[in-house]
Amino acid sequence: MNIFNNINELRNSLRGKVPIAFVPTMGNLHTGHLALVERAKQSSDCVVVSIFINRLQFLPHEDFDRYPQTLEDDCRSLSALNVNSVFAPDEKILFPTPQEFLLALPSIADTLEGKFRPGFFRGVATIVLKLLNIVQPQVAVFGKKDYQQLHIIREMVRQLNIPVEIVACETVRAQDGLALSSRNQYLDREQRKEACRLFQTLSQLKNEIASGRKDFPALQQQATQLLSQRGWSVDYLSIHKRSSLMPAQAHDEDLVILGAAWLGKTRLIDNLEI
Ligand code: PAF
């Protein structure tokens, strides 16, 4: 496995390799990331994984400075999976000058995550576009855990005619249902026990809807109240159409429930398709 910091060296090593399957990450890899890599391997013998903590997608008060950095361990895990190339650039390689060109995103990027993390998706879309331009893969794999991110990247690729197939991977969960995330390690022991409640709440909502309830605002409110009573601070728990991520109406089908909530100082997100 080759580890690249330099863009030209990465590109030279990839010359003539088709198809390339790409998995962008911010490192601190867990089983969820490794599932993305396994999926990429189904599409190609040539898998490239990027590891880059992207400053553009963090708000000033967020955890950019303490985001876990575990490059050595990450490379060990990726090597064990026979990944071809890791692209782990320094900041000055991706941002040799301040990144003044930023994408303008559709209004869906200002809802849900975007409402609570203004500018987040602009930062994500801009770095993903840069990485796609650098790696020029035929396939790129993203997790459904970041459901809105996946939606926005799909739309970006479609509307900007980027020649890459976006492949979605199911969320990997701990035994108790908690979606795997690098941020789970911020939870203390008590919080970790409580954390699976977010998924349980989404599952209860799913059951209610599956049994025919259509009063989505009331369901959302009830679920929010239940979590709040247990000490969570809920940013949103909300039922949407899968295709557009617009709020679901009673007659809509193919829905997804999206949630984000704080447990102490840790913000967890999750979602469940119905
Ligand atoms: O999902 C992530 O880890 C990040 O948002 C991504 C896609 C690697 C862009 O920095």
Side-chain angles (χ1 to χ4, degrees), residues 24-27 33 50 52-54 57 67 120 123-124 127-128 131 142 146 149 153:
T25 80
M26 298 206 298
H33 294 111
S50 67
F52 181 69
I53 305 175
N54 169 34
Q57 69 189 74
Y67 200 86
F120 169 68
V124 169
I127 202 71
V128 170
L131 290 167
F142 292 84
D146 297 295
Q149 167 175 285
I153 288 167

Side-chain angles (χ1 to χ4, degrees), residues 89-124:
D90 296 333
E91 255 199 330
K92 60 179 185 303
I93 298 285
L94 284 193
F95 306 132
T97 57
Q99 183 70 29
E100 293 170 337
F101 283 81
L102 296 160
L103 279 172
L105 268 53
S107 56
I108 199 73
D110 299 326
T111 68
L112 300 163
E113 282 303 282
K115 179 172 167 203
F116 291 90
R117 305 181 69 191
F120 169 68
F121 287 119
R122 166 182 275 211
V124 169

Side-chain angles (χ1 to χ4, degrees), residues 135-191:
V135 178
Q136 302 193 4
Q138 280 67 43
V139 173
V141 185
F142 292 84
K144 284 193 184 179
K145 157 94 186 339
D146 297 295
Y147 205 88
Q148 193 180 5
Q149 167 175 285
L150 173 66
H151 175 85
I152 286 170
I153 288 167
R154 275 193 197 289
E155 276 303 297
M156 174 180 83
V157 161
R158 192 176 69 78
Q159 293 192 25
L160 297 180
N161 304 89
I162 305 171
V164 64
E165 178 195 351
I166 301 297
V167 171
C169 247
E170 293 304 324
T171 301
V172 179
R173 300 182 179 281
Q175 267 194 343
D176 64 358
L178 175 66
L180 297 192
S181 161
S182 300
R183 291 187 168 110
N184 291 350
Q185 59 195 272
Y186 300 152
L187 300 167
D188 67 26
R189 196 195 293 236
E190 281 305 301
Q191 290 170 334

